[in-house]
Short mmCIF file of all heavy atoms in Angstrom, two decimals:
data_model
loop_
_atom_site.label_atom_id
_atom_site.label_comp_id
_atom_site.label_asym_id
_atom_site.label_seq_id
_atom_site.Cartn_x
_atom_site.Cartn_y
_atom_site.Cartn_z
N THR J 54 105.32 116.75 103.47
CA THR J 54 105.34 115.63 104.46
C THR J 54 103.90 115.17 104.66
O THR J 54 103.67 113.92 104.79
CB THR J 54 105.93 116.12 105.80
OG1 THR J 54 107.27 116.67 105.52
CG2 THR J 54 106.06 114.93 106.72
N VAL J 55 102.93 116.04 104.71
CA VAL J 55 101.55 115.63 104.90
C VAL J 55 101.08 114.80 103.72
O VAL J 55 100.41 113.80 103.84
CB VAL J 55 100.62 116.88 105.06
CG1 VAL J 55 99.13 116.50 104.94
CG2 VAL J 55 100.91 117.63 106.38
N LEU J 56 101.52 115.18 102.51
CA LEU J 56 101.12 114.45 101.32
C LEU J 56 101.70 113.07 101.38
O LEU J 56 100.98 112.08 101.09
CB LEU J 56 101.74 115.21 100.05
CG LEU J 56 101.61 114.43 98.76
CD1 LEU J 56 100.13 114.22 98.30
CD2 LEU J 56 102.30 115.19 97.66
N MET J 57 102.99 112.90 101.75
CA MET J 57 103.55 111.59 101.87
C MET J 57 102.85 110.73 102.92
O MET J 57 102.62 109.54 102.73
CB MET J 57 105.08 111.71 102.18
CG MET J 57 105.86 112.30 101.02
SD MET J 57 107.67 112.22 101.29
CE MET J 57 107.81 113.53 102.60
N THR J 58 102.47 111.36 104.01
CA THR J 58 101.81 110.65 105.11
C THR J 58 100.43 110.17 104.62
O THR J 58 100.05 108.98 104.86
CB THR J 58 101.61 111.54 106.33
OG1 THR J 58 102.93 111.97 106.85
CG2 THR J 58 100.88 110.87 107.41
N VAL J 59 99.65 111.02 103.92
CA VAL J 59 98.35 110.59 103.45
C VAL J 59 98.47 109.49 102.50
O VAL J 59 97.69 108.50 102.53
CB VAL J 59 97.66 111.83 102.76
CG1 VAL J 59 96.43 111.39 102.07
CG2 VAL J 59 97.33 112.87 103.83
N LEU J 60 99.46 109.51 101.60
CA LEU J 60 99.63 108.46 100.61
C LEU J 60 100.04 107.11 101.30
O LEU J 60 99.56 106.03 100.93
CB LEU J 60 100.71 108.81 99.59
CG LEU J 60 100.32 109.93 98.67
CD1 LEU J 60 101.47 110.25 97.71
CD2 LEU J 60 99.08 109.49 97.77
N LYS J 61 100.82 107.22 102.36
CA LYS J 61 101.18 105.99 103.12
C LYS J 61 99.96 105.44 103.82
O LYS J 61 99.77 104.20 103.78
CB LYS J 61 102.25 106.33 104.22
CG LYS J 61 103.65 106.36 103.60
CD LYS J 61 104.69 106.45 104.73
CE LYS J 61 106.07 106.25 104.22
NZ LYS J 61 107.06 106.22 105.33
N VAL J 62 99.08 106.28 104.35
CA VAL J 62 97.86 105.84 104.97
C VAL J 62 96.97 105.13 103.91
O VAL J 62 96.26 104.13 104.25
CB VAL J 62 97.08 106.99 105.61
CG1 VAL J 62 95.71 106.56 106.04
CG2 VAL J 62 97.88 107.58 106.78
N CYS J 63 97.00 105.60 102.69
CA CYS J 63 96.21 105.00 101.61
C CYS J 63 96.78 103.72 101.04
O CYS J 63 96.23 103.16 100.06
CB CYS J 63 96.02 106.02 100.47
SG CYS J 63 95.01 107.46 100.94
N GLY J 64 97.87 103.27 101.63
CA GLY J 64 98.51 102.02 101.21
C GLY J 64 99.71 102.12 100.27
O GLY J 64 100.21 101.05 99.83
N ILE J 65 100.21 103.35 99.97
CA ILE J 65 101.34 103.50 99.16
C ILE J 65 102.64 103.26 100.05
O ILE J 65 102.93 104.07 100.90
CB ILE J 65 101.44 104.91 98.55
CG1 ILE J 65 100.17 105.16 97.69
CG2 ILE J 65 102.64 104.99 97.63
CD1 ILE J 65 99.86 104.10 96.62
N SER J 66 103.36 102.19 99.85
CA SER J 66 104.43 101.84 100.73
C SER J 66 105.77 101.94 100.10
O SER J 66 106.83 102.05 100.78
CB SER J 66 104.27 100.37 101.26
OG SER J 66 104.18 99.47 100.16
N ASP J 67 105.81 101.94 98.75
CA ASP J 67 107.05 101.89 98.02
C ASP J 67 107.35 103.35 97.41
O ASP J 67 106.38 103.91 96.92
CB ASP J 67 107.11 100.87 96.96
CG ASP J 67 108.44 100.79 96.22
OD1 ASP J 67 109.42 100.28 96.77
OD2 ASP J 67 108.54 101.38 95.06
N TYR J 68 108.57 103.81 97.49
CA TYR J 68 108.84 105.16 96.97
C TYR J 68 108.58 105.28 95.49
O TYR J 68 108.26 106.37 94.99
CB TYR J 68 110.21 105.61 97.34
CG TYR J 68 111.36 105.03 96.49
CD1 TYR J 68 111.74 105.58 95.33
CD2 TYR J 68 112.01 103.86 96.93
CE1 TYR J 68 112.75 105.02 94.57
CE2 TYR J 68 113.05 103.26 96.23
CZ TYR J 68 113.44 103.89 95.01
OH TYR J 68 114.44 103.34 94.26
N LYS J 69 108.73 104.16 94.72
CA LYS J 69 108.48 104.27 93.29
C LYS J 69 107.02 104.44 93.00
O LYS J 69 106.64 105.17 92.06
CB LYS J 69 108.95 102.99 92.60
CG LYS J 69 110.47 102.89 92.63
CD LYS J 69 110.95 101.62 91.88
CE LYS J 69 112.47 101.54 91.96
NZ LYS J 69 112.93 100.25 91.34
N GLN J 70 106.13 103.84 93.84
CA GLN J 70 104.70 104.18 93.75
C GLN J 70 104.44 105.64 94.01
O GLN J 70 103.62 106.26 93.30
CB GLN J 70 103.92 103.29 94.67
CG GLN J 70 103.99 101.82 94.40
CD GLN J 70 103.33 100.91 95.49
OE1 GLN J 70 103.34 101.34 96.65
NE2 GLN J 70 102.70 99.88 95.07
N PHE J 71 105.08 106.19 94.97
CA PHE J 71 105.00 107.59 95.29
C PHE J 71 105.43 108.45 94.11
O PHE J 71 104.77 109.36 93.74
CB PHE J 71 105.81 107.90 96.57
CG PHE J 71 105.98 109.37 96.89
CD1 PHE J 71 104.87 110.17 97.15
CD2 PHE J 71 107.22 109.93 96.95
CE1 PHE J 71 104.97 111.50 97.40
CE2 PHE J 71 107.37 111.30 97.26
CZ PHE J 71 106.24 112.08 97.48
N PHE J 72 106.58 108.09 93.56
CA PHE J 72 107.06 108.83 92.43
C PHE J 72 106.07 108.83 91.25
O PHE J 72 105.85 109.81 90.51
CB PHE J 72 108.41 108.26 91.92
CG PHE J 72 109.57 108.61 92.81
CD1 PHE J 72 110.83 108.02 92.61
CD2 PHE J 72 109.45 109.56 93.86
CE1 PHE J 72 111.92 108.29 93.46
CE2 PHE J 72 110.58 109.83 94.65
CZ PHE J 72 111.76 109.25 94.44
N LEU J 73 105.45 107.62 91.02
CA LEU J 73 104.51 107.45 89.93
C LEU J 73 103.29 108.39 90.08
O LEU J 73 102.83 108.99 89.16
CB LEU J 73 104.04 105.99 89.81
CG LEU J 73 104.86 105.08 88.92
CD1 LEU J 73 104.40 103.66 89.07
CD2 LEU J 73 104.82 105.54 87.47
N ILE J 74 102.77 108.40 91.37
CA ILE J 74 101.59 109.18 91.61
C ILE J 74 101.93 110.74 91.44
O ILE J 74 101.11 111.44 90.82
CB ILE J 74 101.09 108.95 93.08
CG1 ILE J 74 100.52 107.51 93.15
CG2 ILE J 74 100.06 109.95 93.51
CD1 ILE J 74 100.16 107.12 94.53
N VAL J 75 103.10 111.12 91.95
CA VAL J 75 103.45 112.53 91.79
C VAL J 75 103.67 112.84 90.30
O VAL J 75 103.20 113.87 89.84
CB VAL J 75 104.73 112.87 92.61
CG1 VAL J 75 105.26 114.24 92.23
CG2 VAL J 75 104.47 112.73 94.08
N ALA J 76 104.37 112.01 89.61
CA ALA J 76 104.60 112.27 88.14
C ALA J 76 103.28 112.29 87.35
O ALA J 76 103.09 113.14 86.47
CB ALA J 76 105.49 111.15 87.53
N ALA J 77 102.35 111.43 87.70
CA ALA J 77 101.01 111.37 87.07
C ALA J 77 100.28 112.71 87.26
O ALA J 77 99.65 113.25 86.37
CB ALA J 77 100.22 110.25 87.51
N PHE J 78 100.27 113.15 88.49
CA PHE J 78 99.66 114.47 88.84
C PHE J 78 100.33 115.64 88.11
O PHE J 78 99.64 116.47 87.52
CB PHE J 78 99.71 114.65 90.34
CG PHE J 78 99.24 116.07 90.76
CD1 PHE J 78 97.85 116.41 90.78
CD2 PHE J 78 100.21 117.08 91.07
CE1 PHE J 78 97.48 117.67 91.15
CE2 PHE J 78 99.71 118.36 91.38
CZ PHE J 78 98.32 118.65 91.44
N GLN J 79 101.65 115.68 88.11
CA GLN J 79 102.32 116.78 87.47
C GLN J 79 101.97 116.75 85.97
O GLN J 79 101.71 117.80 85.34
CB GLN J 79 103.84 116.63 87.66
CG GLN J 79 104.28 116.83 89.08
CD GLN J 79 105.74 116.48 89.37
OE1 GLN J 79 106.29 115.68 88.59
NE2 GLN J 79 106.38 117.03 90.34
N MET J 80 102.09 115.61 85.35
CA MET J 80 101.87 115.55 83.91
C MET J 80 100.41 115.81 83.56
O MET J 80 100.11 116.41 82.54
CB MET J 80 102.26 114.19 83.39
CG MET J 80 102.29 114.10 81.85
SD MET J 80 103.46 115.31 81.06
CE MET J 80 105.07 114.42 81.30
N TRP J 81 99.46 115.41 84.46
CA TRP J 81 98.07 115.63 84.18
C TRP J 81 97.76 117.13 84.16
O TRP J 81 97.04 117.64 83.26
CB TRP J 81 97.23 115.00 85.28
CG TRP J 81 95.75 115.30 85.05
CD1 TRP J 81 94.88 114.58 84.26
CD2 TRP J 81 94.97 116.35 85.61
NE1 TRP J 81 93.59 115.16 84.28
CE2 TRP J 81 93.66 116.22 85.07
CE3 TRP J 81 95.26 117.39 86.47
CZ2 TRP J 81 92.63 117.14 85.43
CZ3 TRP J 81 94.27 118.24 86.83
CH2 TRP J 81 93.02 118.15 86.32
N CYS J 82 98.38 117.91 85.09
CA CYS J 82 98.20 119.30 85.11
C CYS J 82 98.76 119.93 83.83
O CYS J 82 98.06 120.84 83.28
CB CYS J 82 98.95 119.94 86.33
SG CYS J 82 98.28 119.51 87.89
N MET J 83 99.88 119.50 83.33
CA MET J 83 100.39 120.00 82.11
C MET J 83 99.56 119.61 80.88
O MET J 83 99.26 120.48 80.00
CB MET J 83 101.85 119.60 81.93
CG MET J 83 102.82 120.31 82.81
SD MET J 83 104.57 119.93 82.42
CE MET J 83 104.63 118.25 83.06
N VAL J 84 99.18 118.36 80.83
CA VAL J 84 98.35 117.88 79.70
C VAL J 84 97.06 118.63 79.66
O VAL J 84 96.56 119.05 78.61
CB VAL J 84 98.13 116.36 79.81
CG1 VAL J 84 97.14 115.93 78.82
CG2 VAL J 84 99.44 115.60 79.50
N TYR J 85 96.42 118.79 80.79
CA TYR J 85 95.12 119.49 80.87
C TYR J 85 95.26 120.88 80.32
O TYR J 85 94.40 121.31 79.50
CB TYR J 85 94.65 119.56 82.33
CG TYR J 85 93.39 120.29 82.50
CD1 TYR J 85 92.13 119.74 82.21
CD2 TYR J 85 93.44 121.65 82.95
CE1 TYR J 85 90.99 120.50 82.41
CE2 TYR J 85 92.27 122.36 83.08
CZ TYR J 85 91.05 121.83 82.80
OH TYR J 85 89.87 122.56 82.97
N THR J 86 96.28 121.63 80.72
CA THR J 86 96.39 123.06 80.32
C THR J 86 96.98 123.14 78.86
O THR J 86 96.45 123.93 78.05
CB THR J 86 97.35 123.78 81.26
OG1 THR J 86 96.84 123.64 82.61
CG2 THR J 86 97.44 125.26 80.92
N PHE J 87 97.98 122.31 78.51
CA PHE J 87 98.50 122.37 77.17
C PHE J 87 97.41 121.96 76.16
O PHE J 87 97.23 122.61 75.10
CB PHE J 87 99.68 121.45 77.01
CG PHE J 87 101.00 121.99 77.55
CD1 PHE J 87 101.92 121.11 78.09
CD2 PHE J 87 101.23 123.34 77.61
CE1 PHE J 87 103.12 121.62 78.55
CE2 PHE J 87 102.43 123.85 78.10
CZ PHE J 87 103.42 122.94 78.58
N ARG J 88 96.70 120.87 76.45
CA ARG J 88 95.70 120.37 75.53
C ARG J 88 94.65 121.42 75.26
O ARG J 88 94.16 121.53 74.16
CB ARG J 88 95.17 119.11 76.01
CG ARG J 88 94.11 118.46 75.14
CD ARG J 88 93.34 117.33 75.81
NE ARG J 88 92.15 116.97 75.04
CZ ARG J 88 90.96 117.63 75.13
NH1 ARG J 88 90.88 118.67 75.95
NH2 ARG J 88 89.92 117.29 74.37
N ARG J 89 94.25 122.09 76.32
CA ARG J 89 93.11 123.07 76.14
C ARG J 89 93.55 124.40 75.53
O ARG J 89 92.76 124.93 74.69
CB ARG J 89 92.48 123.33 77.51
CG ARG J 89 91.28 124.27 77.43
CD ARG J 89 90.37 124.13 78.63
NE ARG J 89 89.19 125.05 78.47
CZ ARG J 89 88.11 124.73 77.74
NH1 ARG J 89 88.06 123.63 77.05
NH2 ARG J 89 87.15 125.60 77.70
N TYR J 90 94.73 124.85 75.83
CA TYR J 90 95.07 126.21 75.42
C TYR J 90 96.11 126.34 74.40
O TYR J 90 96.32 127.40 73.78
CB TYR J 90 95.42 127.06 76.66
CG TYR J 90 94.30 127.19 77.70
CD1 TYR J 90 94.30 126.45 78.82
CD2 TYR J 90 93.14 127.98 77.36
CE1 TYR J 90 93.27 126.57 79.75
CE2 TYR J 90 92.13 128.08 78.25
CZ TYR J 90 92.18 127.38 79.45
OH TYR J 90 91.07 127.46 80.35
N SER J 91 96.92 125.27 74.14
CA SER J 91 97.96 125.35 73.19
C SER J 91 97.39 125.01 71.79
O SER J 91 96.66 124.05 71.62
CB SER J 91 99.12 124.36 73.54
OG SER J 91 100.00 124.35 72.47
N PRO J 92 97.78 125.80 70.78
CA PRO J 92 97.35 125.48 69.42
C PRO J 92 98.07 124.26 68.82
O PRO J 92 97.71 123.75 67.77
CB PRO J 92 97.72 126.76 68.66
CG PRO J 92 98.83 127.34 69.35
CD PRO J 92 98.58 127.01 70.82
N ASN J 93 99.20 123.78 69.51
CA ASN J 93 99.96 122.70 69.00
C ASN J 93 100.43 121.89 70.23
O ASN J 93 101.50 122.11 70.74
CB ASN J 93 101.14 123.21 68.18
CG ASN J 93 101.82 122.05 67.44
OD1 ASN J 93 101.94 120.96 67.92
ND2 ASN J 93 102.31 122.37 66.24
N PHE J 94 99.61 120.93 70.63
CA PHE J 94 99.89 120.17 71.85
C PHE J 94 101.23 119.41 71.77
O PHE J 94 102.00 119.45 72.68
CB PHE J 94 98.76 119.17 72.16
CG PHE J 94 98.98 118.29 73.28
CD1 PHE J 94 98.82 118.73 74.58
CD2 PHE J 94 99.41 116.98 73.08
CE1 PHE J 94 99.02 117.86 75.67
CE2 PHE J 94 99.61 116.13 74.18
CZ PHE J 94 99.41 116.54 75.41
N TRP J 95 101.48 118.80 70.61
CA TRP J 95 102.69 118.04 70.44
C TRP J 95 103.94 118.95 70.60
O TRP J 95 104.83 118.58 71.31
CB TRP J 95 102.78 117.42 69.03
CG TRP J 95 104.06 116.63 68.83
CD1 TRP J 95 104.27 115.34 69.21
CD2 TRP J 95 105.26 117.14 68.34
NE1 TRP J 95 105.55 114.98 68.88
CE2 TRP J 95 106.22 116.06 68.39
CE3 TRP J 95 105.73 118.37 67.87
CZ2 TRP J 95 107.54 116.20 67.95
CZ3 TRP J 95 106.99 118.54 67.40
CH2 TRP J 95 107.88 117.49 67.43
N LEU J 96 103.87 120.13 70.04
CA LEU J 96 105.05 120.99 70.11
C LEU J 96 105.21 121.51 71.53
O LEU J 96 106.37 121.72 71.93
CB LEU J 96 104.85 122.20 69.16
CG LEU J 96 106.07 123.10 68.89
CD1 LEU J 96 107.30 122.32 68.54
CD2 LEU J 96 105.76 124.19 67.87
#
């Protein structure tokens, strides 16, 4: 709830924008770790 509140304060008003930000964060964490430690990023 705090996360949603902070994003609203920052000007995020539509839930799809919220979904995009969350999805970008989730995927960034995976890409960062997969890319660095996996011998086959695509796989």
